């Protein structure tokens, strides 16, 4: 594709782009969110190729997966900053309308890093011709079952096979490996995978996937699908690059999973020619992401908010939470999924030995689940009561989607 500066956008794309920005500004002024979705939607009504037109001339990275894509997009944007200005959909509007709006708003930039909803990956690849695609993980979200996970992996596989983008992929997720290895050029990152429940069956041949305990290795017992040797990995607080050089990363974000996300970010930036030694210090700029991981001080308590949207996310959150009183909050409204049976797919035993409080619309479902794991808990009817029940010091909060939003709103009110 020829380099096309913003000034050379086709007339229809120019009108659509400026309308998209105006609509977004109007929506913000009316207090209806950041407006990126409505703005992009309007723009794409006028120019269905708007995303393609706005992406042309930029070197684009896409980031997709069930969990961690917002955070990894932020980290990748920070890392790529060493190369030049980067457009990004940092507010998590991760479908094509959100991408169009983000690019329109950013104006001309040499680079773009876009978080992509996993269902839209193919469409966004076709529209943006990315240079690099990061594939993080695939697991069930809400009511999706393992079968849908394998189906999604199949769609990814076709999408990356038909394009020449460089792939940066998680070597520890068999579904991701199977999808990514269809591509011509793949860089593997040892990102880890705590959640195994959606990848016991090989997507290639249907045989059992074996995971020798304590090795981190995995392989299919029926075909040649196995864990590739990763070029990038995490060692303590450092990311190790393909030549074996350690790059210390001082992240503000908690947990092993975010150090793995940092490794992915550096790997993506390196594919565009960034020097990881220069890019690594920039990762420390990323603090909370849309309120996730935010630390709030209130009444002598230091409260940290962790969002967990699905079973794999709960396991990662247990890993991130420090050994301190922990409040779990669960709702089952539309955005969360109405069924809470997934609670039985998650091992709550990492919470043994700490003080656990529970709240939310579906606290009773959580209570039954914790009883099964023989974990003691206290039920509180509101976040304010949880705050009053714990001594000054740290309080970890792990909540699913709408419960998380409720607590954020409550914190804003009390602040
Ligand atoms: Zn197999």
């Amino acid at each position: 594709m020829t380099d096309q500066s913003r000034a050379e956008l086709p007339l229809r794309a120019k009108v659509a782009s400026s309308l998209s920005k105006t609509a977004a500004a109007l929506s913000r002024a009316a207090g209806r969110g950041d407006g990126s979705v409505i703005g992009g939607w309007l723009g794409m009504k006028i120019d269905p190729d708007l995303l393609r037109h706005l992406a042309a001339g930029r070197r684009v990275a896409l980031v997709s997966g069930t969990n961690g894509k917002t955070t990894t997009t932020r980290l990748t944007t920070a890392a790529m900053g060493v190369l030049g200005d980067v457009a990004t959909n940092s507010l998590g509007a991760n479908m094509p309308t959100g991408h169009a709006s983000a690019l329109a708003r950013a104006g001309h930039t040499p680079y773009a890093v876009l978080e992509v909803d996993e269902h839209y990956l193919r469409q966004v690849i076709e529209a943006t011709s990315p240079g690099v695609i990061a594939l993080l993980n695939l697991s069930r979200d809400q009511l999706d079952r393992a079968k849908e996970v394998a189906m999604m992996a199949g769609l990814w596989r076709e999408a990356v096979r038909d394009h020449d983008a460089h792939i940066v992929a998680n070597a520890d997720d068999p579904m991701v490996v199977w999808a990514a290895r269809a591509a011509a050029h793949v860089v593997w990152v040892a990102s880890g995978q705590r959640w195994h429940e959606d990848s016991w069956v090989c997507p290639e041949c249907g045989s059992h996937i074996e995971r020798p305990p304590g090795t981190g290795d995995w392989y299919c017992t029926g075909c040649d699908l196995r864990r590739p040797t990763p070029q990038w990995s995490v060692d303590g607080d450092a990311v190790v690059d393909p030549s074996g050089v350690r790059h210390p990363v001082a992240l503000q974000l908690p947990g092993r999973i975010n150090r793995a996300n940092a490794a992915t970010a550096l790997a993506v930036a390196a594919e565009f020619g960034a020097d990881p030694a220069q890019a690594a210090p920039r990762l420390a700029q990323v603090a909370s992401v849309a309120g996730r991981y935010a630390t709030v001080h209130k009444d002598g308590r230091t409260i940290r908010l962790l969002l967990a949207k699905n079973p794999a996310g709960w396991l990662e959150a247990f890993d991130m939470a420090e050994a301190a009183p922990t409040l779990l909050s669960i709702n089952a409204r539309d955005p969360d999924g109405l069924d809470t049976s997934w609670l039985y797919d998650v091992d709550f035993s990492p919470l043994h030995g700490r003080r656990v409080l529970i709240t939310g619309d579906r606290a009773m479902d959580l209570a039954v689940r914790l009883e099964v794991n023989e974990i003691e808990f206290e039920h509180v009817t509101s976040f304010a009561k949880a705050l009053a029940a714990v001594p000054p010091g740290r309080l970890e909060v792990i909540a699913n989607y709408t419960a998380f939003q409720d607590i954020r709103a409550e914190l804003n009110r009390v602040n």
Side-chain angles (χ1 to χ4, degrees):
M1 187 160 292
T2 56
D3 187 71
Q4 182 183 41
S5 81
R6 200 174 150 65
E8 294 156 2
L9 279 177
L11 178 60
R12 185 178 279 259
K14 252 189 254 179
V15 173
S17 167
S18 66
L19 182 73
S20 150
K21 269 190 289 190
T22 309
L26 283 173
S27 172
R28 279 194 299 280
R32 294 173 173 253
D34 83 315
S36 55
V37 172
I38 185 74
W41 181 82
L42 265 175
M44 287 173 85
K45 278 280 172 204
I46 293 170
D47 177 8
D49 279 335
L50 182 60
L51 181 54
R52 184 186 313 277
H53 287 131
L54 289 170
R58 304 185 212 239
R59 301 185 72 193
V60 176
L62 305 182
V63 178
S64 197
T66 308
N67 285 325
K69 53 189 178 288
T70 305
T71 308
T72 306
T73 297
R74 279 288 188 90
L75 291 168
T76 306
T77 302
M80 300 243 314
V82 297
L83 296 168
D85 288 340
V86 185
T88 185
N89 54 338
S90 58
L91 292 150
N94 62 13
M95 292 182 247
T97 48
H99 301 143
S101 178
L103 296 182
R105 190 156 43 181
H108 183 69
T109 59
Y111 296 95
V113 179
L114 300 176
E115 170 191 338
V116 184
D117 180 287
E118 52 276 30
H119 299 83
Y120 287 85
L121 187 61
R122 181 184 197 106
Q123 193 181 332
V124 178
I125 289 173
E126 281 167 3
T128 63
S129 298
V132 183
I133 306 167
L135 303 178
L136 306 179
N137 50 66
L138 281 173
S139 70
R140 70 185 73 171
D141 214 6
Q142 299 182 16
L143 291 186
D144 292 356
R145 306 319 296 187
K147 201 173 72 184
E148 276 98 65
V149 173
M151 206 158 66
M152 183 66 62
L155 293 175
W156 276 17
R157 184 177 168 84
E158 286 167 27
V160 303
R161 187 185 53 207
D162 299 342
H163 271 266
D164 55 4
H166 288 197
I167 308 298
V168 172
N170 181 0
D172 293 311
D173 185 330
M175 293 293 162
V176 168
V177 171
W178 179 67
R181 71 176 191 163
H185 183 106
V186 189
V187 175
W188 301 106
V189 181
S191 291
Q193 187 197 36
R194 273 177 197 280
W195 176 256
H196 295 156
E197 301 310 312
D198 295 322
S199 54
W200 287 114
V201 175
C202 175
E204 178 75 33
C205 75
S207 300
H208 177 70
I209 287 177
E210 193 70 43
R211 291 186 172 86
T215 63
D217 195 17
W218 61 264
Y219 57 89
C220 173
T221 51
C223 73
D224 70 342
L225 187 69
R226 59 164 37 251
R227 182 179 189 259
T229 304
Q231 283 91 28
W232 292 80
S233 60
V234 173
D235 178 25
D237 286 333
V239 169
V240 183
D241 76 15
S243 53
V245 176
R246 295 176 88 254
H247 302 282
V249 288
L251 295 183
Q252 296 191 51
L253 308 176
R256 184 201 53 80
I257 188 65
N258 280 319
R259 292 193 291 280
N261 290 337
T264 297
L266 291 179
V268 171
E271 288 300 299
F272 286 106
D275 176 356
Q278 282 182 357
R282 291 179 168 247
L283 302 179
Q285 298 164 1
V286 180
S288 84
V289 177
R292 301 168 206 181
Y293 316 118
T295 300
V296 181
H297 299 280
K298 169 75 189 158
D299 297 342
R301 278 80 169 172
T302 301
I303 306 147
R304 185 165 56 184
L305 301 177
L306 300 169
L307 171 69
K309 291 186 291 187
N310 47 44
W314 279 84
L315 281 189
E316 296 297 354
F318 295 155
D319 179 66
M320 290 182 220
E322 285 179 15
T326 301
L327 174 69
L328 310 177
S329 183
I330 289 186
N331 291 344
R333 302 175 199 164
D334 265 336
D336 308 308
L338 302 178
D339 181 355
T340 57
S341 63
W342 59 267
L343 284 168
Y344 291 86
D345 297 325
V346 175
D347 177 15
F348 283 81
S349 61
L351 296 175
H352 268 297
R354 74 169 75 183
R355 186 168 171 200
V356 175
L357 299 95
I358 63 170
T359 192
D361 298 349
R362 303 303 283 269
M364 287 307 122
D365 299 356
L366 192 51
V368 173
R369 178 66 190 89
L370 293 175
E371 288 279 359
V372 172
N373 254 149
E374 297 179 336
I375 292 166
E376 287 182 32
F377 59 85
E378 302 149 59
H379 176 230
V380 288
T381 51
S382 70
F383 177 69
K385 286 185 178 157
L387 208 53
V390 299
R394 188 135 193 139
L395 173 66
E396 300 281 339
V397 178
I398 308 176
N400 70 350
Y401 191 73
T402 65
F404 183 86
Q405 303 302 350
D406 284 356
I407 288 170
R408 278 186 78 190
E410 204 169 329
L411 272 169
N412 284 336
R413 273 200 300 277
V414 292
N415 275 350

